[in-house]
Amino acid sequence: MSIGKRPLWLSIFMYAVLTLTSLVILYPLVFMVFSTFTSTEAYYRTAFFPIPDTFDFHNYQAILGDCSQGCLTKSIVITAVRALWYIVWAMLISILGGYAFARLTFPFKNAIFMFFLSGLMVPPLLTTLPLYIMLARFPLAGENDIWGQGGHGFVNDWPALGMLGLVNVIALFLIKQNYEMIPADYEEAARVDGAGTMRVIFQIYVPMLRPALTAVAIIEFVAIWNDYFGPLIFVGGNRDITPVALTVQRLIYAYTQRQAETVADFPLIFAAATLMSIPTILVYLALQRYFVQGLVGVGLKG
Amino acid sequence: MASTTTTTAPPASLAERFRLWRWRNRQTVIAFSVLTPLLLYFVVFTWVPILVMVAISFTEWNVIQWPPTFVGLENYQEILTDKYYHNVMWRTATIGGTVLVLEMVVAFGIALLLNQPLKGRAIYRTIWYLPVVISGAVLAQTLAVFLYPARFGALNSLLIALGGEPVIWTRSEFWMPFWVIMFSFWRGVGTGVIFFLAGLQSVDPSLYEAAQVDGAGRWSLFRHITIPQIAPVTLFIFITKLVGSLQIWEAPLVLTFGGPNHSTRTIVYSMYSDAFGNLTMGMAAAQSILLLIVLMVLSSTNLRLLRGHD
């Protein structure tokens, strides 16, 4: 939306504002990464901004080798698999559900859609306790009898990591909006050629929905990778299946406690935080090209 | 879609009549065969728990004792009359409201800048979104280090370098709410930027061109094209941000456990501490139900405002 030529002072002003504010946003993150390459003594000498003096990865090696809270490497694998599982479900549900809401007419369509959207308002903490009871008392699971008594149910077990929150309402909304941006001509042409609903969805629409689906994948991956409270409640008692956010949280807590009498080894703590942040940053950097493009659909009414 | 077939003779068998019914209602059939499992899942894992919490909110329950003691509306009465809960609600509104306004205004401003043809804007965009993709708990841990008392804290070392006195941040009832606001803003503003940017980029360029031909100026384009065109995305951002900022609790938890002197106790933090700390499930449930009602009322009012706007 550039109109004519921008005066020079305005360009300088815009760059200045963007650069300064971006530096403020970036400062804590750069602080975090830089401090992992700083020795503890140097860290405490210049606390406002750590100046790296040990360019090796000993802090990272220490974190990766620390199995006191459940091995981090194992947690990373568990979380990656879990993220994949959730991404597949979010995509499948929003591709099919989005199609129904965007392209079909059926009774109570709006009411049902609003009903799903209501899920956005529900504070996650609200449903935690009833869900815990539901998982713990699930009949015939985890040594439970038919009445759900006697065992631990799904709590502290694998299913607790993959059963909850599979319907991602934001993803459904986003994909539905993106369906509505695609002209109906494509579908009609395919229908004339005799394509069924599933073929229309997966061969006509899905390729066109790729940016939006990428956005869904990013959002879901970030959410699962950083999911800390859910695992704490539902699998907190089983260190063999702890996802990465909880493991890192426990490591950081343990380091803070262990060193409370002396001075905390912040470079080590920051190494844990950095390690935890790398995958989401990489995924975002790799896919961000599609990200904004995929979100464009939310601007539509409907 | 293909046109509906017209049948002349009435179908003979039941099976055939069923096939005909399915054909006539094929959109409904497809829709419900997809949506029924989703609806069931959604009801079981979202609305059943909510109803359970509604039931619990009428009781006094410490999780261990069974059955819970029925107390009627006493929990709600306590929340609406007790000074502690008034403070909690007031703080939720002020902290959440400030974060909401800050995020909306700054996100819109930055998105406007990033929508200009500037070199390197992709880099700026990436930076603004980075805090969103990193774990909130980990980030709060980072902030805790900046607020570390004495001279080891990054902020205090800066203050000392500038010749000031170090501040014991975590004990200050003025500064901790401020830092909770700053942290939540820092963490959440990126989503606003990216959604505003998506909204701005989806505005049809031909609208601007047409208006320019008519001699419209910069401000007039902004006022009469940009603003109305991005109204829906603004509403979307506003509602999601509203819902999010009234649920701030991670930062108060990680930084000071709602302290000092309850000054960062938001309603969700208060729920958390009632449920998992004090084991007063009835109170936690009543607070969460009230919050849910407030969120639903606010969001649906906003939606209606937009509908009326058309």
Side-chain angles (χ1 to χ4, degrees):
Chain A
M1 56 169 289
S2 72
I3 302 117
K5 205 156 155 49
R6 194 167 52 216
L8 181 67
W9 67 266
L10 190 61
S11 294
I12 293 175
F13 175 74
M14 290 203 284
Y15 277 111
V17 168
L18 276 177
T19 308
L20 283 178
T21 52
S22 300
L23 284 179
V24 173
I25 294 286
L26 206 54
Y27 165 65
L29 300 178
V30 176
F31 184 103
M32 178 173 88
V33 176
F34 274 35
S35 68
T36 63
F37 298 109
T38 312
S39 63
T40 318
E41 302 81 53
Y43 174 85
Y44 279 112
R45 265 203 307 280
T46 56
F48 180 67
F49 200 86
I51 296 147
D53 60 348
T54 54
F55 294 96
D56 59 31
F57 292 88
H58 73 275
N59 282 325
Y60 293 95
Q61 281 161 354
I63 299 283
L64 282 171
D66 188 338
C67 281
S68 62
Q69 313 295 324
C71 288
L72 196 59
T73 40
K74 194 178 172 192
S75 294
I76 290 173
V77 175
I78 291 170
T79 319
V81 173
R82 182 171 184 238
L84 198 66
W85 165 258
Y86 272 90
I87 289 171
V88 167
W89 276 103
M91 285 189 171
L92 197 66
I93 288 171
S94 49
I95 287 170
L96 295 176
Y99 178 81
F101 284 120
R103 282 287 182 257
L104 302 176
T105 39
F106 53 93
F108 307 116
K109 180 163 130 173
N110 262 329
I112 295 174
F113 191 64
M114 291 320 269
F115 182 58
F116 276 118
L117 278 190
S118 74
L120 289 177
M121 318 291 154
V122 182
L125 213 55
L126 164 62
T127 53
T128 304
L129 179 81
L131 287 176
Y132 183 91
I133 300 172
M134 274 166 67
L135 290 191
R137 294 282 156 262
F138 208 90
L140 299 176
E143 291 148 38
N144 275 350
D145 59 23
I146 186 94
W147 306 111
Q149 302 295 319
H152 57 80
F154 285 137
V155 166
N156 292 331
D157 211 342
W158 292 104
L161 285 177
M163 274 175 77
L164 305 173
L166 288 173
V167 175
N168 183 335
V169 180
I170 288 264
L172 182 64
F173 177 73
L174 193 66
I175 299 297
K176 178 220 168 213
Q177 298 290 79
N178 271 271
Y179 266 112
E180 283 170 355
M181 300 202 308
I182 302 171
D185 311 11
Y186 294 102
E187 173 166 357
E188 275 157 22
R191 292 272 181 193
V192 169
D193 291 346
T197 304
M198 286 300 140
R199 262 193 73 183
V200 165
I201 291 178
F202 285 97
Q203 290 192 356
I204 310 287
Y205 283 119
V206 167
M208 286 193 266
L209 290 170
R210 212 175 284 153
L213 289 171
T214 311
V216 167
I218 293 179
I219 292 171
E220 195 70 47
F221 180 75
V222 167
I224 295 299
W225 189 265
N226 294 332
D227 185 14
Y228 144 78
F229 187 67
L232 173 68
I233 300 293
F234 296 114
V235 298
N238 186 349
R239 304 228 154 177
D240 290 332
I241 62 170
T242 316
V244 69
L246 185 56
T247 309
V248 167
Q249 188 66 27
R250 280 177 172 157
L251 277 175
I252 291 177
Y253 185 73
Y255 294 150
T256 326
Q257 291 302 100
R258 193 175 71 200
Q259 296 148 342
E261 309 89 48
T262 59
V263 283
D265 189 353
F266 281 119
L268 188 66
I269 290 174
F270 280 132
T274 309
L275 210 56
M276 159 93 203
S277 314
I278 289 172
T280 48
I281 293 180
L282 285 185
V283 166
Y284 174 63
L285 290 182
L287 299 177
Q288 66 160 333
R289 199 149 61 90
Y290 305 103
F291 193 50
V292 177
Q293 206 186 334
L295 297 179
V296 163
V298 288
L300 292 189
K301 262 173 231 180
Chain B
M1 305 265 151
S3 60
T4 41
T5 46
T6 44
T7 42
T8 41
S13 70
L14 207 65
E16 205 164 318
R17 223 182 294 173
F18 173 69
R19 212 174 303 136
L20 189 68
W21 173 88
R22 211 177 53 181
W23 172 245
R24 280 198 179 135
N25 299 285
R26 61 195 180 287
Q27 296 208 8
T28 311
V29 171
I30 297 169
F32 277 102
S33 48
V34 167
L35 294 179
T36 309
L38 295 191
L39 272 171
L40 278 177
Y41 181 90
F42 190 65
V43 167
V44 169
F45 288 100
T46 303
W47 279 94
V48 168
I50 290 174
L51 292 180
V52 170
M53 286 307 259
V54 170
I56 293 176
S57 74
F58 297 123
T59 68
E60 206 175 286
W61 188 34
N62 63 4
V63 190
I64 301 137
Q65 150 224 13
W66 189 262
T69 328
F70 180 79
V71 295
L73 289 170
E74 256 174 51
N75 292 327
Y76 291 96
Q77 211 173 9
E78 189 177 339
I79 292 171
L80 295 175
T81 53
D82 191 90
K83 191 141 192 315
Y84 164 80
Y85 289 103
H86 283 177
N87 285 337
V88 165
M89 287 187 272
W90 174 242
R91 271 190 301 266
T92 310
T94 47
I95 292 179
T98 315
V99 171
L100 177 67
V101 171
L102 265 180
E103 282 188 2
M104 291 299 288
V105 170
V106 174
F108 185 58
I110 294 294
L112 276 181
L113 283 178
L114 291 179
N115 197 37
Q116 303 298 316
L118 291 172
K119 277 196 193 96
R121 62 180 180 171
I123 297 168
Y124 293 117
R125 190 187 66 202
T126 308
I127 291 174
W128 275 86
Y129 196 72
L130 273 188
V132 179
V133 304
I134 302 173
S135 153
V138 164
L139 287 176
Q141 211 88 36
T142 320
L143 185 61
V145 171
F146 289 93
L147 301 180
Y148 214 63
R151 61 192 184 83
F152 296 136
L155 276 167
N156 274 337
S157 76
L158 179 69
L159 277 180
I160 294 169
L162 295 173
E165 286 287 308
V167 179
I168 305 179
W169 307 102
T170 49
R171 299 240 187 94
S172 161
E173 283 177 44
F174 173 76
W175 284 109
M176 282 325 288
F178 174 80
W179 288 116
V180 165
I181 289 170
M182 281 298 126
F183 175 79
S184 309
F185 162 75
W186 179 63
R187 174 147 169 68
V189 67
T191 39
V193 171
I194 222 95
F195 274 106
F196 268 126
L197 196 57
L200 287 170
Q201 294 186 352
S202 65
V203 179
D204 188 351
S206 65
L207 287 177
Y208 290 116
E209 282 153 23
Q212 266 175 284
V213 170
D214 292 344
R218 217 178 249 273
W219 169 250
S220 164
L221 289 182
F222 179 74
R223 173 71 190 80
H224 296 292
I225 296 177
T226 310
I227 297 281
Q229 286 289 312
I230 64 164
V233 78
T234 309
L235 182 85
F236 174 79
I237 301 170
F238 185 79
I239 290 183
T240 48
K241 290 280 173 205
L242 178 81
V243 171
S245 50
L246 290 182
Q247 292 186 42
I248 289 170
W249 72 292
E250 240 171 5
L253 173 73
V254 176
L255 292 176
T256 52
F257 295 99
N261 195 17
H262 294 181
S263 60
T264 55
R265 238 168 219 257
T266 55
I267 189 156
V268 178
Y269 182 81
S270 167
M271 262 162 69
Y272 168 78
S273 84
D274 276 350
F276 299 102
N278 308 334
L279 292 182
T280 48
M281 281 300 161
M283 290 305 295
Q287 284 171 79
S288 54
I289 298 300
L290 280 179
L291 177 63
L292 182 64
I293 293 172
V294 169
L295 291 176
M296 293 206 157
V297 168
L298 286 176
S299 313
S300 58
T301 317
N302 279 308
L303 274 177
R304 212 159 293 148
L305 279 180
L306 182 85
R307 294 263 156 81
H309 188 73
D310 290 344

